[in-house]
Amino acid sequence: MAHLIRHKLSNKLTNAAHTVSNKSQAKVSGVFARLGFQAATDEEGLGFAECDDLDYDYRQGMQMDVLQGEEEVAHVEGDGDLDGDSHYQRDGTGPRPASLKTGGSLDEDKPKITTWEAGWNVTNAIQGMFVLGLPYAILHGGYLGLFLIIFAAVVCCYTGKILIACLYEDNEDGIKVRVRDSYVDIANACCAPRFPALGGHVVNVAQIIELVMTCILYVVVSGNLMYNSFPGFPVSQKAWSVVATAALLPCAFLKNLKAVSKFSLLCTMAHFVINVLVIAYCLSRAREWAWEKVKFYIDVKKFPISIGIIVFSYTSQIFLPSLEGNMHRPSEFHCMMDWTHISACVLKGLFALVAYLTWADATKEVITDNLPSTIRAVVNIFLVAKALLSYPLPFFAAVEVLEKSFFQDGGRAVFPDCYGPNGQLKSWGLGLRVTLVVFTLLMAVFVPHFALLMGLTGSLTGAGLCFLLPSLFHLKLQWRKLLWHHVFFDVAIFVIGGICAISGFIHSVEGLIEAYRYNIHD
């Protein structure tokens, strides 16, 4: 009997508590409704509670996984089969599933690179063969061309940094976590949720055009340099391009960025020797320098092409996400970007000015063509070596983009994986790489105009990948964290980059049409 009385009293107290709670909830909901907010319904509250429970269980499971992982590390340390660091990422991408770790190239633990090696790769990209076209840019731009060399260095360094910033997000503890791996991931994040794959397709197309055009330019300049170095030989420029391509076929066997970094170091050394030889010759003719030829006057028709040449000589953004992700110390990335772009700006400015002062209006598209035949042969041999050593970096990057897009797209790939179970490249995958090398040769043979190709590529994809897209993505993904001057810089870079891209593209196409119409040779 006493138990029955206690049960009835408990029910009455519970009902009274629910009544008071419902009334108070109704009053609070009315207040929030008048303020323009919508209170959660009972079903929503239940859903939130379930989410909290699931989140709690998930975090407890994560903690248990971490403890188990630490125990496993103690037992299997040195086996090399672990994924490495794992982060709680807001976009839902955690460590790669174990099922993928058995699939070919994804199983490979790619060796990390040092800050210096990353710097050599960036230096190789921004102080490459394309410095040979900068005196030609001064020819049509004068002092404004010099200003653009400095301006492009500052802007490209800034956009490279903000592009890497878009790879990171703050986790719940305020610690920056790398939640994206590539330029494509950034583009997809900006276009989500309406068009989650559109941005990636646009960036992939632009990257492939940029990288393949860079490879084509290396083949073009190799054939041009060898032809002008040995004019007495009964070998045409196209035949020399074929010889250069034959030397580039081993690039099809490249496996990782570590090997490419060694080529970049040798390339930088060759570039230093070339600069010393050309500048030394120009200094020997310092008494004949034509300072009066350097003016603020610009050739309205030709200068937009010069803008494309200058921009293209600084393009490295497509390599940066991969380089930063492969660095031992990603925290040193900003410092590496600063010293590489400062040194590039100084060397490019001096090289372009000194070379133009020496030959003035006689400056040619490839400045080494102005050198006397004896010196030209020596310099051109170093330049050909530099071109061949520069080729692997854009080629390897282009192969990575194509493989990830068509052969390794997480089960959504158009074609089967080109890597075997043990990570070795399949024979047909090697054939596709060789086909890409041959394609660059064919394009170099049919479009052998170095400066015009350089201006067209710089205007079409260089400005987009270096100026337009990084500033746009930065505004989209980091808007809540940006200060007013960051917003101003991003908007200004986007507007200026758009104008330069459109004008440079139009005039480069006109130049190519004119070159073919009147059969103008380099």
Side-chain angles (χ1 to χ4, degrees):
M1 185 69 181
H3 177 72
L4 182 61
I5 292 173
R6 284 197 301 270
H7 182 68
K8 290 182 178 180
L9 287 174
S10 176
N11 286 339
K12 289 182 179 180
L13 290 173
T14 302
N15 292 333
H18 279 299
T19 303
V20 173
S21 175
N22 291 335
K23 289 181 179 179
S24 61
Q25 183 177 358
K27 291 180 180 179
V28 172
S29 299
V31 171
F32 273 92
R34 285 191 292 273
L35 291 176
F37 295 95
Q38 182 178 357
T41 62
D42 290 340
E43 293 180 357
E44 290 172 340
L46 181 61
F48 292 147
E50 290 176 352
C51 288
D52 289 339
D53 292 339
L54 289 173
D55 185 63
Y56 176 78
D57 294 339
Y58 174 73
R59 292 179 183 280
Q60 291 295 107
M62 287 287 288
Q63 292 177 2
M64 293 300 296
D65 290 342
V66 171
L67 292 175
Q68 293 175 2
E70 290 176 353
E71 293 176 358
E72 291 176 1
V73 169
H75 290 292
V76 299
E77 186 175 5
D79 290 344
D81 294 332
L82 299 177
D83 288 344
D85 295 337
S86 62
H87 301 287
Y88 177 72
Q89 299 178 351
R90 296 198 317 177
D91 65 344
T93 60
R96 187 172 291 155
S99 60
L100 292 178
K101 295 296 288 179
T102 60
S105 63
L106 296 180
D107 188 28
E108 281 190 297
D109 291 327
K110 296 182 179 180
K112 296 291 185 179
I113 59 176
T114 65
T115 304
W116 280 100
E117 288 173 330
W120 294 130
N121 279 305
V122 174
T123 301
N124 181 22
I126 65 177
Q127 295 196 151
M129 297 296 299
F130 313 113
V131 70
L132 301 177
L134 293 180
Y136 186 76
I138 302 298
L139 172 65
H140 299 299
Y143 286 111
L144 187 57
L146 285 174
F147 169 77
L148 279 177
I149 292 175
I150 300 172
F151 177 77
V154 174
V155 172
C156 288
C157 182
Y158 172 77
T159 55
K161 292 177 180 179
I162 65 175
L163 182 66
I164 297 302
C166 293
L167 296 173
Y168 290 83
E169 294 285 354
D170 293 335
N171 65 5
E172 296 174 348
D173 299 324
I175 301 173
K176 288 190 176 299
V177 177
R178 201 176 202 263
V179 298
R180 304 177 188 98
D181 292 326
S182 64
Y183 211 143
V184 173
D185 292 341
I186 297 173
N188 286 335
C190 289
C191 294
R194 292 188 177 182
F195 307 101
L198 176 62
H201 293 323
V202 172
V203 170
N204 265 337
V205 171
Q207 283 187 121
I208 292 172
I209 292 174
E210 175 90 0
L211 294 167
V212 173
M213 288 294 285
T214 304
C215 294
I216 293 169
L217 284 168
Y218 284 134
V219 178
V220 169
V221 77
S222 297
N224 178 280
L225 291 170
M226 293 302 294
Y227 177 73
N228 287 289
S229 299
F230 306 101
F233 279 30
V235 182
S236 65
Q237 179 177 333
K238 296 179 180 179
W240 281 119
S241 296
V242 173
V243 173
T245 304
L248 295 171
L249 286 175
C251 292
F253 296 92
L254 288 173
K255 289 185 177 181
N256 54 58
L257 203 58
K258 187 81 174 177
V260 177
S261 299
K262 297 178 181 179
F263 288 111
S264 297
L265 174 59
L266 295 173
C267 179
T268 303
M269 296 172 62
H271 180 77
F272 178 76
V273 173
I274 293 164
N275 279 352
V276 169
L277 291 174
V278 175
I279 292 178
Y281 176 79
C282 293
L283 290 175
S284 67
R285 297 181 53 187
R287 295 181 180 180
E288 304 173 13
W289 284 0
W291 285 98
E292 69 279 0
K293 295 289 185 179
V294 187
K295 300 179 181 179
F296 287 97
Y297 166 79
I298 63 173
D299 187 334
V300 178
K301 187 176 181 180
K302 296 290 184 65
F303 185 64
I305 302 175
S306 301
I307 296 175
I309 292 173
I310 293 171
V311 170
F312 190 68
S313 70
Y314 281 107
T315 53
S316 65
Q317 274 70 4
I318 48 182
F319 312 116
L320 296 183
S322 177
L323 284 176
E324 194 264 352
N326 281 278
M327 288 176 64
H328 276 297
R329 298 178 180 176
S331 59
E332 298 179 354
F333 176 81
H334 280 211
C335 178
M336 181 272 295
M337 288 290 289
D338 290 336
W339 67 259
T340 52
H341 282 74
I342 289 173
S343 60
C345 177
V346 173
L347 291 176
K348 285 181 179 182
L350 288 176
F351 183 87
L353 179 61
V354 169
Y356 175 72
L357 289 174
T358 304
W359 290 285
D361 293 338
T363 301
K364 297 182 179 180
E365 290 184 4
V366 181
I367 194 60
T368 54
D369 290 346
N370 290 104
L371 292 170
S373 56
T374 53
I375 302 177
R376 184 195 311 162
V378 177
V379 173
N380 283 355
I381 290 174
F382 276 99
L383 283 170
V384 171
K386 177 175 172 54
L388 298 180
L389 292 170
S390 299
Y391 187 95
L393 179 60
F395 176 81
F396 180 77
V399 166
E400 275 199 328
V401 172
L402 291 171
E403 287 179 352
K404 289 179 180 178
S405 301
F406 296 101
F407 302 98
Q408 299 173 356
D409 194 12
R412 301 187 303 272
V414 180
F415 303 103
D417 197 347
C418 53
Y419 289 92
N422 297 325
Q424 70 270 22
L425 187 65
K426 295 180 180 178
S427 57
W428 63 269
L430 179 63
L432 291 176
R433 291 188 174 199
V434 173
T435 302
L436 182 59
V437 177
V438 175
F439 174 76
T440 59
L441 167 66
L442 295 177
M443 289 295 294
V445 168
F446 290 108
V447 192
H449 295 276
F450 177 73
L452 293 175
L453 265 181
M454 189 173 164
L456 176 63
T457 308
S459 301
L460 180 62
T461 59
L465 293 171
C466 292
F467 294 164
L468 304 180
L469 295 183
S471 56
L472 184 64
F473 294 163
H474 193 228
L475 287 171
K476 171 71 174 178
L477 296 176
Q478 307 286 327
W479 174 259
R480 295 182 179 180
K481 306 175 186 177
L482 298 181
L483 300 177
W484 69 268
H485 60 276
H486 292 144
V487 176
F488 174 77
F489 289 155
D490 290 346
V491 173
I493 290 170
F494 184 84
V495 173
I496 295 173
I499 295 173
C500 293
I502 294 172
S503 61
F505 175 75
I506 293 173
H507 288 88
S508 295
V509 171
E510 289 179 351
L512 280 172
I513 294 173
E514 183 179 346
Y516 278 101
R517 179 178 298 172
Y518 299 105
N519 196 24
I520 300 174
H521 299 282
D522 286 347

